[in-house]
């Protein structure tokens, strides 16, 4: 399993991530260990960060949010209207939309090459955010639990990690 840490930017409390603790518990249940919480990215860390976003935008915290988003950061619960801009400006590993903390059901939005390779894709579906190099995958087993959401994110991140290794 790839290493995962929860990224909580200091002095910045995201709005719209009310069930974050339940998601973290679901992640813990899937991984079998407590996920470490950190306040900034470490360039030496060889895993991925999960960053709760909610209504947060890249300029939040005088730009500190944007400074902490890169190809090793997966964003949690991004408001739909912010998705295209965040994908274009920040180039994250991927993200989930707002429904993550609303009802433990969400889509994984990630690099289209990874989505095409790693996850079952419904036939004849349009590619979302194609001009930005991303696509969307809706987990088949939506059961309203954070464990299922965590498994979907981890499955994507494992495929994404393999993709990045192939690129280098």
């Amino acid at each position: 399993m790839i290493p995962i840490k929860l990224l909580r930017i200091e002095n910045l409390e995201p709005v719209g991530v009310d069930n974050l603790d339940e998601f973290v518990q679901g992640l813990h249940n899937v991984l079998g260990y407590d996920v470490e919480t950190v306040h900034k990215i470490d360039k030496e860390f060889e895993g991925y960060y999960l960053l709760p976003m909610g209504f947060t935008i890249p300029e939040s915290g005088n730009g500190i949010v944007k400074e902490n988003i890169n190809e090793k950061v997966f964003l949690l619960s991004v408001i739909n209207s912010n998705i295209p801009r965040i994908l274009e400006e920040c180039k994250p590993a991927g993200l989930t939309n707002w429904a993550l903390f609303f009802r433990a059901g969400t889509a994984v939005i990630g690099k289209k090459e990874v989505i095409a390779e790693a996850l079952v894709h419904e036939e004849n579906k349009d590619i979302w955010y194609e001009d930005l190099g991303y696509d969307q995958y809706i987990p088949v087993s939506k059961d309203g639990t954070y464990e299922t959401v965590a498994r979907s994110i981890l499955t994507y991140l494992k495929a994404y990690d393999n993709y990045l290794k192939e690129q280098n």
Side-chain angles (χ1 to χ4, degrees), residues 98-112:
W98 65 277
L100 172 62
F101 295 122
F102 174 63
R103 62 176 181 266
T106 190
V108 172
I109 298 170
K111 291 290 189 180
K112 64 182 178 183

Side-chain angles (χ1 to χ4, degrees), residues 7-26:
L7 178 59
R8 300 289 308 260
I9 297 173
E10 257 182 318
N11 301 319
L12 188 71
E13 195 60 38
V15 176
V17 294
D18 301 340
N19 295 330
L20 178 61
D21 291 340
E22 288 89 344
F23 169 75
V24 171
Q25 182 60 49

Side-chain angles (χ1 to χ4, degrees), residues 15-45:
V15 176
V17 294
D18 301 340
N19 295 330
L20 178 61
D21 291 340
E22 288 89 344
F23 169 75
V24 171
Q25 182 60 49
L27 186 62
H28 164 77
N29 293 346
V30 170
L31 292 173
Y33 62 86
D34 287 328
V35 176
E36 180 184 356
T37 299
V38 298
H39 298 292
K40 61 182 180 177
I41 58 174
D42 174 2
K43 294 183 189 315
E44 302 300 315
F45 178 57

